[in-house]
Amino acid sequence: MDYEPQEIEPRWRQRWAEEGRYEADPGDEEATFITVPYPYPSGGMHLGHARTYTVPDVYARYRRLQGDNVLFPIGWHVTGTPIVGAVERLKKGEQAQLDSLQNAFGVPESDLKDLETPMGFARYFIEEADASYKRGMNSLGLSIDWRREFTTNDDRYSQFITWQYESLKDRGLLEKGLHPVKYCTEQENPVTTHDLLEGEDVEYQEYSLIRFSNEDVIFPMATLRPETVRGVTNAFVNTEATYVEATVDDESWIVSEEAAEKLGLQDHEVTVERTFTGEEIVGTTVENPVTGEEIIILPAEFVDPDSATGVVMSVPAHSPDDYVALQEAKDRADELEPYGIDPEAVRSIEPVPILSIEGYGEIPAQSAVEDAGIESSDDPELAEVTKELYNDEFHKGKLSESYGEFGGEVIADIRDELREHFQSEGAFGLMYDFPEPVISRAGGKVVVAFQDTWFLRYNDEEWKAKASRAVENLECIPDNTREQYTHTIDWLEEWPCIRNYGLGTKLPWDDDFVIEPLSDSTIYMSYYTVAHLIDDIPVEELDRRFFDTLFYGADAVENGDVPGVEESREPVERALELREEWEYWYPVDVRISANDLIQNHLTFFLFHHAELFDESNWPEGITIMGMGLLEGEKMSSSKGHVVLPGEAIEEYGADTVRFFLLNSAEPWQDFDWRGDLVGNTRDQLQRFWNRAQETIEADIPEDASEELEHIDEWLLSNLQTTIAETTDALDRYESRTASQTAFYQFEEQLKWYRRRADLDRPGAKWTLREVLRTRLRLLAPFVPFMANELYEQLTGEPAEEAAWPEPDPAFESPLVEVRESLVDSTTEDIHDIIDVTGTDPETVRIYVAPAWKHDVFETVRETGPDVGAVMGKVMQDEQLREKGDAVNDLVQDLVEYVRERDDETLAALGDVDEQAVYESATGFFEREFDAAVDVYDAGGDIEDPAGKADQAVPFRPAIHIE
RNA sequence: GCGAGGGUGGCUGAGCUUGGCCAAAGGCGGCGGGCUUAAGACCCGCUCCCGUAGGGGUCCCUGGGUUCGAAUCCCAGCCCUCGCACCA
């Protein structure tokens, strides 16, 4: 029977579906609960996703073979704006979106209209599309319990999330506050990264506003380097731009027109009193709030009125930009007279350094500009020089003594403190803005606005302490991720957990808001335990009391000791029944997720479990997964640089796809899907299949197992090692090591076995069948279609009905392995000699070391690798003493030999009858070298034409060819 | 700058935790052979240098060190990747 995955695989898919094979219900067996992030169907499924879900599947299948009752569920995450945004972009006919849908995911024109509602879009990629997740998951043979699927937009799920957030609020872990957000001035609405047309990567900056003043009028100047306040020599405004005088809160401010609008959105009361062009304030002098010095406002074209306040302070000693601008202003000082500026006053402006830094002159900006040979503000190198100087000053610059308590400190250490100091003194204000233009997809300018927002208080000390404890007992795979969780818990601050629109659950007490995706997915694993059993319960009955009963039990509800709920209440009968499901499955044994989610989602997952559930229900393990590359480059649905599981499975078969994904890298390493390598994997599987067929068809007598020879025992001994190593590797989630061991590494052993053994013997046939029977079970988690098919052909039942193999001590034999290693090394030696001499021998003579040499070996083995000690003992023997140097050389050799080997091997070597080993392999040697082979005892009266026999040492026979 | 992970033979990629059986697995590529009418597929062997006897030399980013012995441990340096921070 040929290997036809397209014929085999659909049969198994159908069987599994019909049997409900992977539907798991509570039972007597040990429960294993494996979860993976539910997919976000804002597009189709590609191969990167395929591995995400196949890794947990392999583990699930492994645990099932181990006898566990395994639950592997899946749901669908649709919360928030990405899907809504995708629909909007589609409806607008945006080309990038159409490309992604049609080219990357093969959506036909006729289906596009189905995608015009958010849930229609989601539903399409959940199950309808060719590239839908459900189709992909089924094709891959994932052992999912499909009864439990849901979406995060379902009413019942929302009731669950409502319970979660009401509980958290009662526990004081939610807080309302103002928060800077990206805000579209066109739609007058907050926007997310997905809503941006331009500037997706731009983060807003927190600018210090230095409150320069003229009389009662404030001229706030924005800077990201508040420590330079003492180095300001002048200011710049754009003469062409529009500025306003506005009442800001109770003060009079002069800023650009754009800045006035932004300030109005940042919790300031702003009334524009008067509008004028920048020209008007050129020449004005203003007072530095820190130094009290008067500085003059100069004109400059480069000032962008849409950046921060539109009034720029100049620090020529530390900003190459400012330094060059000031030089240019001096050169053209005479042109400033019409503004009422005295040219001499401009020419007399000198940079004022406020910090010292090694590697630069006294005026760092000057030396930086001069060293780079920059002469004009048009020089493209200026930006680079500026960046470099800023970096150096931040990390290495020491502030001058005029800063009092901050003097002598490195900027990086005191910038924040210094800013707060001047803020509290009233010298500084604060403003948020983007350093680059940001444009929304609606075409409007995006600015930073303050919005009322609800926060999760991840900075709560008690909560952090609980989360830290959850990490302590967590199995982190790989182990070096543990530190990252701890680190994240340490620095995590408040997290805004709502959005203004999108799919999902409304904030229970304010339905203007929706709970955002990273916040509505922290404990949903518990929902899987009952998801398939609550469809018949009316939505409104899934209330607070229901979930309290479900998760905390009747006692907690009756006694009113559910945190935040004071009155005693009746438990809900149905919830008590369901509680058994939850108690059976929980906690999550392992969460398998992506490494970039450690900093947010996975840590949130720990926080929420630590708060809402007892310690016994905290997650037990998290395994991290790496990313996928395609032919060496990052996969990207928007660029169409993806392979769809359906395409790959059609070309190679699901087993090949799975095997490649699991075997080419450990789960936490990045993998690279390369067509040539995948093709090779398919060929290997096919070869395995063909060999298996020979074994399945072989006619094996009943009593064949009684005719095992040494080489059969050797293979079986190796098989036991393979079982142990594969099991250990899978216990550590090392899918690559496990599959390499069970598949490729054992193939190497088989290669030797085939060369060595007479395969027509019943004993050999029996051995190969035994090997196949074991290997199919070891491989079943990886290639379930093939393994089940072959196992059924071999034994009459699928591999998944059988048990995971365990090493059989009866077949473990170091002695057998050591004996074979002697044959192997001798074979290699003979080959070497033949290769080097270039001869084709007719006779090969093998001389085994004589008994006295083996006696010396025994002495070395007993004494240990110490030449002096061994010689002392050996020389007590008169006969050996007579041999003199020969003994000395031998001891040197043997000490080396013993030092390099472990005790078990040495013990086995002590039991070996070397001559018998080579004699029994004579037939093999003769076939291998096509020559007559004779084995001699080097100590006997023997034929030794070249006088080689003396060279024999234990386990290294002398060899002569002729 | 901080944190994490790396630098291995033509390429890819194991080994490094637990130093010695490591000239260093496997795959790809290349070379030779078998099978075949032929190609492909498949099977076998070779693939750092020198060598007509199983040996020797050089080698795992660079330079030191520890050790009887280092790809593996320690120190210093260089370079790369990824996060974060910082930065008009």
Side-chain angles (χ1 to χ4, degrees):
Chain A
M1 192 176 159
D2 286 343
Y3 180 47
E4 299 284 357
Q6 307 313 346
E7 192 264 319
I8 298 162
E9 292 174 358
R11 279 211 316 269
W12 285 93
R13 280 181 203 119
Q14 198 184 348
R15 257 172 86 163
W16 290 330
E18 281 168 5
E19 289 172 30
R21 171 93 213 173
Y22 303 114
E23 293 174 1
D25 290 305
D28 297 332
E29 310 93 331
E30 189 170 325
T32 291
F33 186 18
I34 298 169
T35 75
V36 61
Y38 38 24
Y40 204 108
S42 58
M45 181 181 186
H46 61 63
L47 272 175
H49 305 123
R51 192 172 75 144
T52 305
Y53 311 113
T54 306
V55 170
D57 182 65
V58 167
Y59 195 67
R61 289 178 177 277
Y62 165 62
R63 296 303 317 178
R64 278 192 204 100
L65 284 164
Q66 287 271 28
D68 287 8
N69 189 10
V70 176
L71 176 57
F72 176 27
I74 207 88
W76 311 101
H77 202 191
V78 300
T79 305
T81 56
I83 291 174
V84 178
V87 169
E88 279 170 11
R89 274 173 271 145
L90 170 65
K91 289 207 287 205
K92 275 189 212 154
E94 213 174 87
Q95 200 52 46
Q97 179 67 356
L98 286 168
D99 283 350
S100 170
L101 293 174
Q102 296 185 307
N103 300 342
F105 298 120
V107 177
E109 190 81 38
S110 55
D111 284 357
L112 287 176
K113 63 180 184 313
D114 296 345
L115 309 188
E116 293 192 352
T117 64
M119 284 312 288
F121 190 100
R123 190 53 60 195
Y124 186 78
F125 284 113
I126 288 170
E127 56 194 353
E128 287 157 23
D130 286 345
S132 79
Y133 279 89
K134 205 165 173 179
R135 228 181 267 273
M137 290 171 165
N138 274 320
S139 304
L140 285 163
L142 304 189
S143 54
I144 290 167
D145 181 348
W146 287 110
R147 297 171 303 166
R148 297 170 192 257
E149 59 174 321
F150 57 84
T151 83
T152 59
N153 201 48
D154 293 355
D155 292 340
R156 287 177 176 78
Y157 185 81
S158 281
Q159 291 297 96
F160 164 68
I161 298 299
T162 299
W163 167 81
Q164 181 185 359
Y165 276 80
E166 282 179 343
S167 300
L168 289 169
K169 185 162 182 258
D170 288 342
R171 290 163 187 252
L173 296 172
L174 283 168
E175 190 176 74
K176 196 177 181 179
L178 278 180
H179 185 68
V181 298
K182 295 177 180 173
Y183 182 89
C184 173
T185 51
E186 177 84 22
Q187 298 167 303
E188 302 191 349
N189 210 341
V191 289
T192 69
T193 306
H194 285 274
D195 305 319
L196 299 180
L197 187 64
E198 205 177 296
E200 288 108 312
D201 301 329
V202 181
E203 289 292 321
Y204 55 75
Q205 304 282 352
E206 202 176 310
Y207 289 86
S208 294
L209 298 187
I210 316 256
R211 290 160 50 89
F212 285 83
S213 60
N214 178 310
E215 305 289 325
D216 292 335
V217 182
I218 309 290
F219 289 70
M221 303 193 195
T223 180
L224 290 163
R225 304 200 298 161
E227 72 279 4
T228 59
V229 60
R230 284 180 172 275
V232 180
T233 58
N234 60 283
F236 290 115
V237 295
N238 189 325
T239 52
E240 312 279 312
T242 307
Y243 286 79
V244 300
E245 181 175 338
T247 303
V248 175
D249 304 323
D250 293 326
E251 299 174 334
S252 182
W253 285 24
I254 299 226
V255 293
S256 69
E257 190 176 32
E258 291 87 344
E261 185 187 0
K262 292 173 194 168
L263 289 166
L265 291 166
Q266 294 181 13
D267 200 30
H268 291 289
E269 195 66 45
V270 177
T271 316
V272 174
E273 310 290 352
R274 193 166 74 80
T275 300
F276 51 90
T277 59
E279 217 170 5
E280 189 181 320
I281 47 172
V282 171
T284 310
T285 57
V286 291
E287 185 188 317
N288 184 317
V290 172
T291 65
E293 284 165 356
E294 296 284 331
I295 60 156
I296 191 162
I297 298 178
L298 301 176
E301 291 161 25
F302 66 81
V303 173
D304 180 359
D306 200 10
S307 174
T309 56
V311 188
V312 176
M313 64 184 216
S314 168
V315 187
H318 300 291
S319 162
D321 283 331
D322 291 349
Y323 180 79
V324 173
L326 179 61
Q327 296 308 313
E328 288 176 349
K330 285 182 178 183
D331 291 345
R332 297 186 324 204
D334 293 336
E335 297 165 26
L336 299 175
E337 274 197 286
Y339 296 107
I341 297 173
D342 173 6
E344 274 317 304
V346 174
R347 279 192 277 265
S348 68
I349 297 176
E350 289 303 327
V352 179
I354 55 97
L355 59 79
S356 59
I357 174 169
E358 264 181 56
Y360 293 90
E362 197 187 338
I363 314 285
Q366 180 178 13
S367 63
V369 166
E370 286 170 1
D371 289 351
I374 292 168
E375 295 188 342
S376 107
S377 51
D378 303 330
D379 195 322
E381 219 184 314
L382 187 57
E384 206 178 300
V385 168
T386 299
K387 189 178 162 71
E388 197 178 313
L389 179 62
Y390 278 29
N391 232 327
D392 285 349
E393 290 193 343
F394 180 71
H395 295 295
K396 293 187 265 177
K398 290 200 177 115
L399 209 50
S400 75
E401 296 304 326
S402 58
Y403 282 88
E405 58 176 303
F406 302 112
E409 301 288 337
V410 173
I411 308 299
D413 298 336
I414 48 88
R415 176 178 286 167
D416 290 346
E417 216 180 308
L418 180 144
R419 184 182 55 212
E420 280 159 29
H421 169 79
F422 286 122
Q423 259 171 27
S424 66
E425 276 195 343
F428 290 4
L430 187 64
M431 176 180 184
Y432 292 87
D433 202 2
F434 296 107
E436 290 169 40
V438 179
I439 309 291
S440 81
R441 290 183 181 276
K445 186 167 81 178
V446 174
V447 299
V448 182
F450 283 18
Q451 290 282 305
D452 261 338
T453 299
W454 283 88
F455 297 93
L456 278 161
R457 298 183 50 234
Y458 291 130
N459 54 354
D460 181 88
E461 284 309 318
E462 277 178 49
W463 201 3
K464 273 185 195 284
K466 283 184 206 169
S468 297
R469 261 202 297 138
V471 176
E472 274 168 36
N473 298 317
L474 188 72
E475 187 185 11
C476 302
I477 308 280
D479 193 56
N480 62 23
T481 54
R482 178 181 308 280
E483 215 178 294
Q484 297 182 51
Y485 296 109
T486 314
H487 185 239
T488 305
I489 290 170
D490 282 350
W491 64 245
L492 208 55
E493 303 264 345
E494 296 177 314
W495 179 266
C497 63
I498 55 169
R499 296 289 180 265
N500 290 61
Y501 66 104
L503 298 174
T505 303
K506 303 276 190 211
L507 192 64
W509 51 91
D510 187 343
D511 63 11
D512 281 345
F513 297 116
V514 173
I515 296 168
E516 62 88 37
L518 287 170
S519 300
D520 84 337
S521 55
T522 57
I523 54 163
Y524 72 92
M525 311 78 202
S526 61
Y527 188 79
Y528 282 130
T529 63
V530 297
H532 58 313
L533 299 171
I534 60 174
D535 278 349
D536 56 335
I537 304 174
V539 172
E540 60 278 9
E541 286 178 26
L542 296 172
D543 56 7
R544 191 80 190 274
R545 201 160 58 105
F546 177 90
F547 286 108
D548 278 347
T549 308
L550 173 59
F551 294 123
Y552 302 137
D555 291 352
V557 176
E558 282 171 347
N559 301 336
D561 65 1
V562 172
V565 177
E566 269 138 51
E567 76 281 16
S568 297
R569 303 164 307 171
E570 282 287 299
V572 182
E573 272 313 308
R574 181 77 178 125
L576 275 177
E577 288 166 34
L578 296 184
R579 182 168 167 75
E580 289 176 22
E581 302 270 337
W582 135 267
E583 287 189 315
Y584 177 76
W585 292 114
Y586 240 63
V588 171
D589 287 75
V590 60
R591 174 83 177 166
I592 299 182
S593 191
N595 57 14
D596 52 339
L597 294 180
I598 292 177
Q599 292 106 317
N600 47 51
H601 179 260
L602 284 167
T603 300
F604 297 174
F605 162 66
L606 294 173
F607 263 100
H608 286 247
H609 274 83
E611 177 63 35
L612 292 168
F613 299 132
D614 286 343
E615 189 155 351
S616 61
N617 282 319
W618 291 359
E620 294 188 341
I622 299 180
T623 296
I624 290 309
M625 275 194 295
M627 306 227 133
L629 301 176
L630 174 54
E631 305 292 346
E633 281 181 50
K634 211 169 168 176
M635 292 191 201
S636 158
S637 356
S638 57
K639 289 185 191 139
H641 187 61
V642 289
V643 172
L644 304 181
E647 296 168 356
I649 289 169
E650 199 176 317
E651 184 171 357
Y652 302 106
D655 279 330
T656 297
V657 172
R658 291 173 62 109
F659 200 66
F660 183 84
L661 291 174
L662 275 293
N663 185 266
S664 60
E666 300 294 2
W668 47 88
Q669 298 172 327
D670 293 349
F671 73 96
D672 187 3
W673 180 270
R674 284 174 38 191
D676 55 342
L677 299 183
V678 182
N680 194 262
T681 301
R682 188 213 23 227
D683 295 345
Q684 300 276 3
L685 289 180
Q686 180 161 7
R687 213 167 302 163
F688 179 87
W689 171 277
N690 292 340
R691 288 248 157 83
Q693 289 301 320
E694 289 168 22
T695 300
I696 289 164
E697 287 156 16
D699 189 17
I700 304 171
E702 285 289 316
D703 56 356
S705 66
E706 286 157 27
E707 296 175 33
L708 297 187
E709 293 187 355
H710 158 74
I711 192 64
D712 304 323
E713 287 168 358
W714 171 81
L715 189 67
L716 291 166
S717 182
N718 271 302
L719 182 66
Q720 309 315 312
T721 313
T722 299
I723 294 170
E725 285 178 5
T726 305
T727 307
D728 287 351
L730 272 177
D731 283 340
R732 293 189 303 263
Y733 299 87
E734 291 172 4
S735 67
R736 175 184 156 82
T737 303
S739 53
Q740 287 271 350
T741 303
F743 194 79
Y744 291 106
Q745 199 176 299
F746 201 83
E747 283 299 322
E748 293 293 304
Q749 316 281 4
L750 277 171
K751 219 162 149 181
W752 175 253
Y753 178 77
R754 284 189 210 104
R755 193 164 144 198
R756 235 342 228 116
D758 170 8
L759 301 179
D760 293 332
R761 289 175 299 115
K765 290 181 184 173
W766 184 88
T767 301
L768 285 173
R769 188 177 64 186
E770 193 55 26
V771 162
L772 180 63
R773 207 168 68 83
T774 301
R775 284 223 291 161
L776 286 173
R777 283 175 288 156
L778 295 178
L779 293 170
F782 300 93
V783 286
F785 299 98
M786 175 189 269
N788 281 316
E789 177 74 23
L790 290 173
Y791 202 85
E792 195 169 58
Q793 290 178 15
L794 185 72
T795 70
E797 62 170 13
E800 59 194 346
E801 294 289 346
W804 184 256
E806 281 186 33
D808 181 348
F811 287 121
E812 288 172 353
S813 172
L815 179 60
V816 167
E817 294 194 30
V818 158
R819 285 174 58 196
E820 192 57 22
S821 74
L822 294 178
V823 175
D824 186 9
S825 60
T826 301
T827 308
E828 218 168 282
D829 281 347
I830 298 171
H831 268 299
D832 278 351
I833 296 168
I834 291 172
D835 286 350
V836 170
T837 57
T839 47
D840 182 10
E842 283 178 10
T843 309
V844 174
R845 298 179 205 278
I846 296 172
Y847 304 96
V848 179
W852 69 268
K853 290 188 178 176
H854 278 98
D855 291 345
V856 174
F857 168 75
E858 271 308 302
T859 308
V860 176
R861 189 164 75 85
E862 283 161 15
T863 315
D866 178 334
V867 178
V870 173
M871 285 304 285
K873 280 196 189 175
V874 167
M875 284 305 172
Q876 286 170 21
D877 184 316
E878 193 162 338
Q879 284 178 320
L880 290 179
R881 211 180 315 140
E882 282 170 14
K883 298 186 192 291
D885 283 352
V887 176
N888 194 26
D889 291 349
L890 180 66
V891 169
Q892 299 278 358
D893 280 358
L894 290 174
V895 161
E896 190 88 342
Y897 187 87
V898 165
R899 186 184 274 147
E900 290 168 0
R901 269 150 255 261
D902 60 45
D903 291 347
E904 193 186 51
T905 308
L906 292 171
L909 282 166
D911 295 337
V912 166
D913 176 347
E914 226 192 318
Q915 185 159 359
V917 168
Y918 304 130
E919 273 167 3
S920 70
T922 306
F924 163 68
F925 288 138
E926 288 181 339
R927 278 201 311 279
E928 185 79 7
F929 302 110
D930 193 21
V933 174
D934 293 315
V935 179
Y936 305 93
D937 175 357
D941 180 16
I942 50 167
E943 203 170 329
D944 184 12
K948 294 281 180 191
D950 281 353
Q951 289 177 7
V953 292
F955 320 116
R956 192 94 206 263
I959 293 161
H960 179 248
I961 63 173
E962 54 188 278

